[in-house]
Amino acid sequence: MADQSTSADGLPIPGAPAPQAPSLAEPTEPREPLPPKPDQDGPETVSPTGVPTGAPKTSNAQSGRYLTTAQGARLQDTDHSLKAGPRGPVLLQDHHLREKITHFDHERIPERVVHARGAAAHGVFTANGAAEGITRAGFLAKDAQTPVFVRFSTVLGSRGSSDTVRDTRGFATKFYTDEGTFDLVGNNIPVFFIQDAIKFPDVIHAGKPHPDREIPQAQSAHDTFWDFVSLHTEAQHHTMWNMSDRGIPRSYRTMEGFGVHTFRLVNAKGETSLVKFHWKPRLGVHSLVWEEAQIINGMDPDFHRRDLADAIEAGAYPQWDLGVQVFPDTEEEMFAGIDLLDPTKIVPEELAPVQIIGTMTLNRNTTNYFAETEQVAFHPGHLVPGIDVTNDPLLQGRLFSYIDTQLTRLGGPNFHQIPINRPHAPVNDMFREGFHQDAVHSGVAPYQPNSLDGGCPFLAGADMGAFIDVPAPVAESRKVRENPATFDDHYSQPRQFFRSLTPVEQDHLIQAYTFELGKCYEENIRIRQLQQLANIDERLCAEVAAGLGLTPPAPAVAVEDADPSPALRQVGKAWPVDGRVIGILADETTDLAALDQVRAAIDAANMVPLIIAPKGGKLAGQVTAQRTYLTARSTEFDAVIVAGAGRHGADDADSLDAKAGNPSGHPAIDPRVAILLTEAYRHSKALAAWGPGAAVLAASGIPGDAPGIISTDPAQIVPALTELLSQHRVWERFPVAQTA
């Protein structure tokens, strides 16, 4: 076998993820673990007291041909939790699930294993009463107002990673209701990579940086991720969403949220319904383009958390409508042929419209990041009367995993007493002592029943607002590690998702797959994933294959077509522009009276104007510059107005700013102005100019008659920009490479 560290001509090529190339098919012949790569070495083998043992350095590595428990018992199955029948609840006796999840939950100290990098804000949720017929939850009664705390996050990266990586985003909401705390712990993608929580360590281990080098950070464009998802085909639907523009949102304010799982609601009559939760942003769902996201990662890795905090500080409070898709609670727990317990499936909104039940407004930033954003602890088992869980096997595992994780991350069982986690309802739980016990309990009888404390605390009946688990039937069945047959379709919904997108969104998705697979070292992994794409859509596969220089395979399975779902598209609607940031290039040639008029109009439209000048300070001693040619980059702005001549700044020199100098083609303007404008242009952003600004656009090589270019009187610029920004981008500026 050829050495993977060399090319065909013998030159060294670093970066191989393993000491030998993988096979195209999943290996099935048991073998011993592979040795380390030649460039790898381990610590010296000494005893805990520093005495050399003489043992080989590999003696600390894993051994044996077969997967085992931590105690060495060989395992037959690690893909399915032990359930009471294929559709039954997960059993507490599943020692392998608990061992696997427990160890995974404690792999990182002190940051979160996943969702480590986050941003958060306080707010209020106001119910409109539309849910009163399906749930008795008090916070969903008409006009009820409930304080909330929301944490947004990336999944894979560490706390020190960047905001705009391609990744799933967490969307976790803590409702401080007067009936107890309810946590809706979801993502910006409605499906997940796996159908059973027992696979969660596997998918995260695959997505995290390679364990030998701890690279790449906060991204899925590497061999271990694509090795896993190309073999574990139920991951294809979530992967498709991740490769779409949803994987690089413009901001948290323009990001949808989903509860992912199906929940069971109970109304005042005891009647039950099954529901899926949706957060719909009032500003619409918008994303970055890929080059823009890459630039931001270097220029401003805190882009999303800054955007959220700045918007709230500016009074442009982000809002989301909370909605539910409601389904009959039938014995088979199916709807329109879709298994509601399968977390890799959606129910298209055309089949089950989202009914809005309230609105959330985020209106306060945190005071202390560590005390609030870092220490907040969510748990899908934090439920209130009227909301219950289902037998979704991913949700069932999360009910164990989340509370187990907090024990290590937050130092013990009293994490609920940290201020940000404290319920806004009376607590009398009889829990005592433990690490970080802040309460000073009275009484002598922390047990039930008792008489020494007068019988307190007492049990509550249903008429007193007690939480009562829905007595859902559990079918008598065998203990099995299986999924129901309805979980087996892994391709029809990814096909529906791709074919529902607009042509420009499809182009972006194709580019994302090509980039990610192009970063994989092993060709067999690329070929294997191409086979998965061929099973989803032949054009998708063919165009990705062309970008990789590979031959597209033929589909290996027959997949039924489904009607496109327009609700899955981001492009094509008009939305409010609140909080959008408008950069205004100005200098000593700018008409300051017109500039004041434009800034006032931008502010009146609830957008944010930022002046970009050649240097800091005040223009003509009157208008303060918030950015300079040195500090500004196009990625910070949703649109740019050119209100000056773009003349060279005093620091226009290679020795001061590598973006500067005087390259040929831009002798009349500062090259940094041209860079800012041409970036905004190719990222399909709206551009406007008045006075000398039109000549600056021309000097930058931007055609004045291109779509989304405004050259008009200052009084007309902001209305024209607002109309363009309501569409987010000027997508028609560049024809798509391929029509659907």
Side-chain angles (χ1 to χ4, degrees):
M1 183 175 292
D3 182 355
Q4 279 300 107
S5 64
T6 60
S7 65
D9 56 7
L11 296 176
I13 303 175
Q20 69 180 44
S23 60
L24 177 59
E26 181 178 4
T28 57
E29 183 66 26
R31 58 161 298 161
E32 292 291 327
L34 295 174
K37 291 166 50 180
D39 62 300
Q40 297 174 324
D41 198 7
E44 297 295 330
T45 53
V46 296
S47 75
T49 56
V51 179
T53 66
K57 293 181 179 180
T58 55
S59 63
N60 290 327
Q62 66 271 26
S63 63
R65 296 168 177 259
Y66 298 95
L67 181 67
T68 72
T69 68
Q71 306 304 316
R74 291 182 178 179
L75 292 165
Q76 184 183 48
D77 187 322
T78 191
D79 287 352
H80 304 91
S81 300
L82 189 65
K83 302 188 283 288
R87 303 188 62 78
V90 173
L91 300 177
L92 185 63
Q93 75 175 70
D94 190 350
H95 57 92
H96 174 42
L97 166 69
R98 295 195 64 184
E99 179 186 72
K100 186 175 180 179
I101 292 289
T102 297
H103 191 279
F104 171 77
D105 289 342
H106 299 273
E107 284 181 355
R108 299 291 186 276
I109 299 173
E111 71 179 29
R112 289 166 168 86
V113 180
V114 289
H115 298 277
R117 182 174 180 80
H122 298 270
V124 62
F125 175 80
T126 303
N128 63 17
E132 289 181 322
I134 56 174
T135 179
R136 63 188 183 96
F139 80 99
L140 292 175
K142 184 173 177 57
D143 297 330
Q145 292 196 331
T146 303
V148 296
F149 187 74
V150 180
R151 187 178 188 271
F152 305 102
S153 56
T154 54
V155 173
L156 291 177
S158 66
R159 269 190 64 182
S161 60
S162 299
D163 280 351
T164 60
V165 295
R166 183 178 295 280
D167 196 1
T168 304
R169 300 308 192 281
F171 193 131
T173 308
K174 188 176 290 291
F175 296 82
Y176 301 97
T177 89
D178 57 10
E179 296 179 302
T181 300
F182 171 58
D183 288 348
L184 183 54
V185 195
N187 288 329
N188 74 321
I189 290 175
V191 293
F192 204 63
F193 291 105
I194 53 176
Q195 295 170 326
D196 192 308
I198 201 169
K199 296 300 296 180
F200 196 69
D202 298 299
V203 66
I204 299 302
H205 285 164
K208 284 284 189 178
H210 292 199
D212 53 349
R213 300 185 179 192
E214 187 64 11
I215 56 176
Q217 174 65 238
Q219 56 183 293
S220 56
H222 56 89
D223 290 78
T224 58
F225 175 80
W226 289 101
D227 183 40
F228 175 80
V229 300
S230 63
L231 292 169
H232 203 65
T233 57
E234 67 195 51
Q236 291 298 317
H237 194 192
H238 190 153
T239 303
M240 180 73 67
W241 281 75
N242 246 20
M243 294 303 105
S244 77
D245 290 343
R246 305 272 185 153
I248 44 174
R250 161 61 180 83
S251 69
Y252 294 134
R253 299 180 295 120
T254 59
M255 191 175 79
E256 219 166 358
F258 303 90
V260 179
H261 309 287
T262 297
F263 291 82
R264 179 172 277 110
L265 300 189
V266 188
N267 66 15
K269 300 177 181 178
E271 300 165 335
T272 61
S273 303
L274 300 179
V275 304
K276 286 182 176 289
F277 289 103
H278 295 246
W279 287 111
K280 299 287 189 182
R282 288 277 181 96
L283 298 178
V285 184
H286 309 301
S287 296
L288 302 169
V289 296
W290 181 227
E291 185 200 29
E292 185 183 20
Q294 292 174 301
I295 294 171
I296 293 171
N297 281 336
M299 291 294 298
D300 185 7
D302 306 308
F303 183 76
H304 281 157
R305 65 172 62 177
R306 188 189 314 280
D307 174 272
L308 178 67
D310 285 354
I312 293 173
E313 185 177 2
Y317 299 140
Q319 292 185 308
W320 290 260
D321 290 325
L322 179 62
V324 288
Q325 289 178 295
V326 183
F327 317 103
D329 189 0
T330 59
E331 182 178 357
E332 66 274 11
E333 295 167 309
M334 302 278 291
F335 183 82
I338 300 167
D339 195 321
L340 298 175
L341 300 190
D342 183 351
T344 69
K345 302 292 193 301
I346 65 167
V347 177
E349 293 183 27
E350 291 75 16
L351 298 179
V354 175
Q355 304 173 35
I356 302 303
I357 60 176
T359 300
M360 177 174 71
T361 304
L362 298 185
N363 54 20
R364 288 187 295 130
N365 285 313
T366 57
T367 300
N368 182 278
Y369 183 92
F370 179 80
E372 300 168 271
T373 307
E374 186 62 20
Q375 290 197 120
V376 66
F378 296 94
H379 176 32
H382 290 167
L383 302 166
V384 292
I387 303 177
D388 204 350
V389 299
T390 60
N391 288 344
D392 175 337
L394 178 60
L395 176 57
Q396 292 268 311
R398 293 178 74 198
L399 295 174
F400 167 75
S401 178
Y402 276 63
I403 195 167
D404 182 53
T405 299
Q406 315 303 350
L407 297 178
T408 291
R409 195 175 69 80
L410 296 175
N414 292 309
F415 60 85
H416 57 281
Q417 295 182 7
I418 296 172
I420 193 63
N421 295 321
R422 291 175 182 172
H424 293 196
V427 174
N428 195 344
D429 53 21
M430 295 195 301
F431 298 157
R432 294 293 187 269
E433 287 84 46
F435 283 111
H436 309 300
Q437 176 61 256
D438 293 331
V440 181
H441 293 97
S442 61
V444 296
Y447 51 82
Q448 268 284 348
N450 76 75
S451 62
L452 292 176
D453 282 346
C456 187
F458 297 89
L459 297 176
D463 59 338
M464 297 299 295
F467 180 89
I468 299 176
D469 298 278
V470 176
V474 177
E476 295 183 11
S477 186
R478 300 171 293 114
K479 294 185 296 184
V480 296
R481 293 188 184 274
E482 297 176 7
N483 280 336
T486 47
F487 279 40
D488 290 344
D489 176 12
H490 301 160
Y491 298 114
S492 63
Q493 288 211 345
R495 181 198 294 252
Q496 181 186 43
F497 179 80
F498 178 73
R499 295 183 177 182
S500 296
L501 301 181
T502 61
V504 67
E505 292 173 285
Q506 290 181 341
D507 270 5
H508 292 170
L509 186 146
I510 289 166
Q511 179 197 43
Y513 270 109
T514 307
F515 176 89
E516 296 257 328
L517 293 172
K519 298 292 282 188
C520 289
Y521 189 93
E522 300 293 354
E523 184 170 291
N524 275 346
I525 290 176
R526 297 180 214 153
I527 294 172
R528 191 191 304 139
Q529 178 58 30
L530 284 176
Q531 181 62 68
Q532 303 306 318
L533 298 185
N535 295 342
I536 294 168
D537 184 89
E538 291 186 65
R539 182 176 75 83
L540 166 63
C541 177
E543 296 200 19
V544 174
L548 298 174
L550 297 171
T551 302
V557 297
V559 180
E560 291 187 10
D561 289 330
D563 292 334
S565 171
L568 299 176
R569 302 168 186 161
Q570 293 185 204
V571 176
K573 299 178 182 178
W575 301 97
V577 297
D578 300 35
R580 293 300 180 116
V581 180
I582 312 299
I584 307 176
L585 283 160
D587 55 28
E588 70 277 5
T589 69
T590 301
D591 180 341
L592 296 186
L595 179 62
D596 285 342
Q597 179 185 12
V598 169
R599 292 169 68 204
I602 292 172
D603 184 71
N606 212 19
M607 298 187 290
V608 180
L610 295 179
I611 303 298
I612 311 165
K615 62 180 182 180
K618 292 181 179 289
L619 287 173
Q622 299 179 46
V623 179
T624 300
Q626 287 84 34
R627 302 290 186 271
T628 67
Y629 293 172
L630 175 65
T631 62
R633 198 67 186 254
S634 69
T635 51
E636 184 177 4
F637 311 110
D638 294 287
V640 178
I641 300 172
V642 187
R647 294 175 181 173
H648 296 272
D651 60 345
D652 177 5
D654 289 331
S655 60
L656 295 175
D657 185 351
K659 300 193 303 297
N662 187 14
S664 60
H666 303 299
I669 61 174
D670 192 298
R672 294 166 295 184
V673 171
I675 290 173
L676 188 149
L677 293 174
T678 54
E679 280 181 355
Y681 178 79
R682 68 174 180 266
H683 296 161
S684 297
K685 295 181 180 179
L687 297 171
W690 85 80
V696 176
L697 291 176
S700 301
I702 296 172
D705 59 352
I709 306 299
I710 303 166
S711 184
T712 185
D713 180 85
Q716 304 303 317
I717 279 181
V718 174
L721 269 185
T722 301
E723 183 176 353
L724 289 173
L725 284 172
S726 71
Q727 305 285 333
H728 183 55
R729 305 278 175 145
V730 187
W731 298 119
E732 62 271 24
R733 180 175 294 161
F734 304 109
V736 295
Q738 176 82 37
T739 57

